[in-house]
């Protein structure tokens, strides 16, 4: 059974078709990569799934419920958690405090909340930064903090928007290991938008290719990378990664 299912999802911005008739299905425990050129609609897709944007048409189902148009906080409490392409931590708070905030809805008591936050901070490799202001983190640290906040929220499905962008190759490895472990150890379902194809190839069970708001192809990493339409629309060109949330 699908944990997450989209049927006929469409979204326009003042006449621009950002998403048209998108069908997508993600099974529990699956890792699905989402790729496509800049402006293909990948982040918009996440915004619709997570309730940040209402689709103009179509339905989103999560864990058997029709959740179309439900608010992001409500969905997050049900286990639908996302990271943002552009990280915006609370500047006046420490790394650990930022993570605690994300866990507040399911962990009661200040001491337990602190303990839980520290576990997560440690898990993403930020232990020595725990009590420093979030603003002091370098890019790689901010990415880890964004991941930590998502983990602290207790995801059943985790939607990751370019968590590797801006990281050096050596900094990507531990993040990829952590994501693989999340599925293996915690059974977390992952949907991740990524431009770095080596990561897509390594992590994905299945890849969804978006182009101009529509699903161009779906298949195993080997299938989609051999698909001439995908090579034409995306893989033939050098992608640019940038933070535009
Ligand atoms: N809030 C918005 N208002 C108006 N247009 C928007 C809005 N959000 C996205 N768009 C437009 O919708 C299209 C899809 O944008 P989206 O951010 O989903 O692309 P993307 O695939 O995530 O691209 P990237 O790889 O650059 O992050 C783009 O043309 C974008 O300019
Ligand atoms: Mg995007």
């Amino acid at each position: 059974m699908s944990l997450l299912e989209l049927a006929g999802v469409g979204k326009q911005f003042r006449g621009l078709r950002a998403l048209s008739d998108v069908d997508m299905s993600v099974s529990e425990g699956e890792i699905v990569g989402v790729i496509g050129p800049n402006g293909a609609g990948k982040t918009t897709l996440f915004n619709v799934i997570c309730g940040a944007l209402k689709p103009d048409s179509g339905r989103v189902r999560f864990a058997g419920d029709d959740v179309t148009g439900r608010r992001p906080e409500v969905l997050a409490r049900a286990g639908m958690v996302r990271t943002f392409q552009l990280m915006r931590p609370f500047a006046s708070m420490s790394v650990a405090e930022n993570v605690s905030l994300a866990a507040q809805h399911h962990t009661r008591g200040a001491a337990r909340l602190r303990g839980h936050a520290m576990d997560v901070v440690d898990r993403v490799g930020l232990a020595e930064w725990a009590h420093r202001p979030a603003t002091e983190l370098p890019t790689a640290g901010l990415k880890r903090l964004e991941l930590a906040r998502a983990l602290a929220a207790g995801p059943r499905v985790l939607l990751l928007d370019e968590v590797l962008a801006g990281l050096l190759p050596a900094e990507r490895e531990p993040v990829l290991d952590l994501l693989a472990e999340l599925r293996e150890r915690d059974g977390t379902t992952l949907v991740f938008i990524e431009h770095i194809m080596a990561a897509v190839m390594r992590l994905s069970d299945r890849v969804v290719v978006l182009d101009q708001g529509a699903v161009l192809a779906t298949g195993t990493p080997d299938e989609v990378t051999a698909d001439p339409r995908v090579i034409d629309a995306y893989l033939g060109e050098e992608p640019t990664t940038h933070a535009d949330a």
Side-chain angles (χ1 to χ4, degrees):
M1 196 201 81
S2 298
L3 179 60
L4 179 64
E5 193 153 3
L6 277 67
V9 166
K11 180 72 195 175
Q12 297 206 9
F13 297 112
R14 279 173 259 104
L16 174 98
R17 287 164 79 92
L19 293 175
S20 13
D21 201 21
V22 172
D23 295 335
M24 184 175 161
S25 156
V26 180
S27 304
E28 181 117 52
E30 199 177 18
I31 300 185
V32 175
V34 179
I35 65 171
N38 293 122
K42 303 180 297 294
T43 297
T44 303
L45 180 74
F46 273 19
N47 284 334
V48 167
I49 293 173
C50 298
L53 287 174
K54 279 204 174 91
D56 305 324
S57 56
R59 312 306 303 174
V60 179
R61 294 181 70 82
F62 175 53
D65 291 331
D66 187 331
V67 298
T68 319
R70 238 177 247 181
R71 294 211 317 278
E73 321 76 88
V74 176
L75 288 172
R77 258 178 255 129
M80 168 121 57
V81 178
R82 62 96 57 96
T83 67
F84 287 92
Q85 198 169 344
L86 190 68
M87 303 79 72
R88 301 185 196 86
F90 289 98
S92 59
M93 292 184 186
S94 71
V95 167
E97 286 163 346
N98 265 281
V99 175
S100 289
L101 271 188
Q104 258 176 349
H105 68 86
H106 62 69
T107 303
R108 298 265 165 259
R112 283 187 55 213
L113 190 58
R114 261 198 310 276
H116 178 62
M118 284 307 296
D119 286 347
V120 176
V121 166
D122 192 37
R123 194 167 178 194
V124 301
L126 282 178
E128 62 262 48
W129 289 84
H131 303 297
R132 294 172 65 178
T135 43
E136 286 181 12
L137 287 171
T139 302
L142 282 171
K143 288 280 177 183
R144 283 162 178 262
L145 172 55
E146 186 60 18
L147 201 52
R149 293 201 319 184
L151 295 189
R156 184 166 174 194
V157 59
L158 180 55
L159 299 134
L160 302 151
D161 198 348
E162 298 196 33
V163 281
L164 301 178
L167 299 190
L168 299 167
E171 293 168 335
R172 291 173 199 156
E173 286 308 313
V175 177
L176 286 172
D177 289 343
L178 175 65
L179 296 180
E181 184 195 280
L182 269 178
R183 189 257 293 268
E184 297 314 319
R185 197 183 93 179
D186 308 343
T188 311
T189 304
L190 303 178
V191 185
F192 73 110
I193 296 171
E194 193 50 76
H195 281 291
I196 294 162
M197 282 309 291
V200 175
M201 298 299 285
R202 169 165 152 200
L203 216 52
S204 314
D205 300 317
R206 211 152 48 79
V207 179
V208 173
V209 187
L210 278 185
D211 184 38
Q212 297 180 40
V215 176
L216 180 68
T218 306
T220 64
D222 286 337
E223 283 166 357
V224 298
T225 50
D227 187 327
R229 292 169 309 158
V230 178
I231 294 168
D232 256 11
Y234 179 54
L235 297 174
E237 61 177 69
E238 278 297 302
T240 54
T241 51
H242 54 91
D244 65 352

